[in-house]
Amino acid sequence: MHQTILAFRKRLATMFEDQEPRSLATRVFDYLLTLLIVTNVAGIVLESVDWIRSDFAPQLDAFEAIATAIFAVEYVLRLWACVDYHTGAYTDPLWGRLCYMRSFFAIVDLVAVLPALLGVLGAADLRVLRLLRLLRLLRLLKLVRHSSTFEVLWSVLRAEARSILALVFVLFLTVTISGSLMYMMEGEVQPTVFTSIPVAMWWAVETLTTVGYGDYVPITVMGRFLGGGIATIGIGTLALFSGLITTGFIEQLKIYREQRGRLHVAVSDGTSVVEVDYQTGGNGGDGAMTVAVPTLTIAAHASRAAFCPHCGGLLPAVSADGDGREQSLGVARR
């Protein structure tokens, strides 16, 4: 019985772990959970409409209770199975789970159920209840886990973090200087419009982003020249930011597609069989092959089979035979 429970936990870990090759069961689970998240958030948005809330309150409350229960069970199962993740980051039964609870996605999973549970436990204040209902919209963050696009986008933000921060600093500098200049030029002419530098900075934000609400409009010649210059700078800055993100996204997408073809080697304890699972990079289709080699040999030379740190390509995997001579495993990507 104990072995059956452990085997079930390992299967859950394989299904929950983001880096594992996606099996059919994993893909079905991701699709169903995504559908539940989208439907639940749509229900949260629709219940803010008075007539929908009054006509379908029982159905909306029942669906909310069911969705919350499913999210709570998912959180508990992930917390239980995290010790079997192949990354080895949460192997300790106690500290490993506590470490997992501090991870980003574990916090997102907790936030997905916490507002509803706090409401059930007696948050009587109407403002608190309204805030808890709005916090349920954070369940949309759960979609990040099930989309490789968000993974690539996060990689872009990490890779281009310094460039983005430099661009943000330039924007902040431009807003501050242009707001101060506009206050100097228009403050005396329009004392009821440009009442302070922060108000003029809001005008600078509108102009830089080319929104132009029209609530603050310079009327002096110098003010209009400054407004035209700030608008031109804003167009160039947005184009620069878009080009930076686009270039980084293309580079990270190329690396992601190359790494999808990497091999996954699993050595079973006490045997001499190495199972090699692979995914094709562009033609589709998954598969597996088995290579009979000594287990201890693979364990001793596991570090020799690696991936290129630059492009993610598979490097030649080598092992040693009984006499210490190196020989190729003969496993090739298809």
Side-chain angles (χ1 to χ4, degrees):
M1 182 65 179
H2 181 66
Q3 295 297 329
T4 303
I5 295 176
L6 291 181
F8 175 69
R9 190 177 69 183
K10 289 183 178 180
R11 286 197 294 269
L12 283 179
T14 301
M15 185 173 64
F16 288 152
E17 194 169 15
D18 302 327
Q19 301 300 325
E20 282 295 302
R22 300 291 182 178
S23 63
L24 178 61
T26 303
R27 291 195 294 267
V28 171
F29 171 78
D30 289 346
Y31 293 151
L32 291 178
L33 193 61
T34 300
L35 179 62
L36 176 63
I37 294 171
V38 173
T39 307
N40 179 245
V41 171
I44 295 173
V45 173
L46 291 176
E47 74 175 0
S48 64
V49 182
D50 292 336
W51 70 269
I52 294 180
R53 179 64 187 174
S54 60
D55 293 345
F56 301 98
Q59 292 86 346
L60 291 173
D61 291 339
F63 181 66
E64 171 64 20
I66 294 173
T68 301
I70 293 175
F71 293 146
V73 171
E74 180 206 3
Y75 176 77
V76 173
L77 290 178
R78 287 184 181 273
L79 185 62
W80 178 55
C82 68
V83 294
D84 289 326
Y85 281 5
H86 289 77
T87 58
Y90 314 111
T91 54
D92 187 83
L94 176 60
W95 298 109
R97 289 189 171 97
L98 291 177
C99 183
Y100 173 76
M101 291 175 66
R102 297 196 303 267
S103 64
F104 173 75
F105 285 118
I107 294 175
V108 169
D109 292 335
L110 182 61
V111 170
V113 299
L114 200 57
L117 294 179
L118 290 178
V120 172
L121 294 178
D125 194 300
L126 181 61
R127 290 174 298 178
V128 175
L129 286 174
R130 186 172 299 174
L131 176 61
L132 293 177
R133 287 182 176 179
L134 290 178
L135 285 178
R136 291 178 300 170
L137 295 175
L138 294 178
R139 292 173 181 176
L140 283 173
L141 292 176
K142 292 171 67 67
L143 295 176
V144 177
R145 174 188 278 125
H146 307 290
S147 175
S148 58
T149 303
F150 289 107
E151 178 183 350
V152 176
L153 183 59
W154 178 243
S155 299
V156 172
L157 295 178
R158 284 183 299 180
E160 305 294 340
R162 292 186 177 181
S163 301
I164 294 175
L165 288 176
L167 189 58
V168 170
F169 175 75
V170 171
L171 288 175
F172 176 76
L173 195 63
T174 304
V175 167
T176 304
I177 295 176
S178 59
S180 301
L181 291 176
M182 184 57 68
Y183 175 70
M184 293 174 58
M185 297 175 183
E186 298 286 335
E188 296 183 357
V189 181
Q190 302 185 78
T192 59
V193 178
F194 293 92
T195 58
S196 62
I197 292 180
V199 172
M201 289 175 64
W202 171 243
W203 165 85
V205 172
E206 294 179 350
T207 308
L208 270 174
T209 55
T210 65
V211 174
Y213 290 124
D215 47 353
Y216 303 102
V217 180
I219 60 176
T220 64
V221 176
M222 295 303 297
R224 290 177 178 178
F225 270 110
L226 178 62
I230 296 301
T232 304
I233 294 175
I235 295 174
T237 304
L238 292 178
L240 179 61
F241 182 78
S242 300
L244 181 66
I245 295 299
T246 302
T247 302
F249 189 83
I250 293 174
E251 292 178 355
Q252 292 297 326
L253 186 60
K254 179 181 178 182
I255 294 175
Y256 171 76
R257 287 175 175 173
E258 290 176 347
Q259 289 180 341
R260 283 190 62 190
R262 63 179 182 266
L263 302 183
H264 299 270
V265 181
V267 182
S268 55
D269 297 333
T271 65
S272 59
V273 175
V274 179
E275 295 181 354
V276 183
D277 298 328
Y278 64 89
Q279 288 182 300
T280 56
N283 298 327
D286 301 335
M289 62 173 62
T290 301
V291 182
V293 292
T295 301
L296 293 179
T297 299
I298 289 297
H301 295 271
S303 61
R304 303 293 298 276
F307 305 95
C308 175
H310 303 289
C311 68
L314 180 66
L315 299 178
V318 295
S319 67
D321 57 15
D323 298 330
R325 297 187 302 271
E326 290 188 347
Q327 61 181 4
S328 174
L329 291 181
V331 181
R333 287 169 57 181
R334 295 182 180 180

